[in-house]
Amino acid sequence: MSYNAGVGFSTGRQAGKVNSGFNGGRVLFPPGKWHINRTIEMRLVDSIILQSAGAAGYVDEYGHQATEIVWSGGSSGPLLRMVSCNRSGVRGLSFNGNRTATEGIRFDAEPGANGFPSKQCLFEDFEVKAVAGWGLRVGNSS
């Protein structure tokens, strides 16, 4: 199956964002392909896990189907950007840049007084493939 991640998500400027004030919990993606045309951004959050209901890239021994986030946007930006996050991360997802996205996952620090590096983050059973640049990038950029 293939899905448009814009369906059922918020629209406008906040689409695809998990912002400060949303702490603790899991964002579950059902098995299938989820097409995005904007970066999924987690900013100033604590204890948020983006998680597949299945497994990354294959059907596992229990029959769980893969969940794949597929880039369908232009040639700028990562699929996932984590900005100053604590104890957050990814479990069981596959990120496919469709040979267009410039990065798979980018870690940044929030500029200014509120900025701190992302720390104690969890990445388990995930993959990044078919990106035009970096699969995983750590830096401080806007």
Side-chain angles (χ1 to χ4, degrees), residues 10-30:
S10 62
T11 58
R13 291 183 61 205
Q14 296 303 312
K17 292 188 177 187
V18 180
N19 290 312
S20 61
F22 184 71
N23 294 316
R26 298 185 190 285
V27 178
L28 291 174
F29 290 84

Side-chain angles (χ1 to χ4, degrees), residues 71 77-79 95-105 127-136:
W71 185 257
L79 281 92
F95 293 90
N96 181 342
N98 211 10
R99 304 207 186 287
T100 308
T102 54
E103 299 166 341
I105 300 172
E127 70 177 342
V128 176
K129 61 185 178 182
V131 292
W134 298 92
L136 180 62

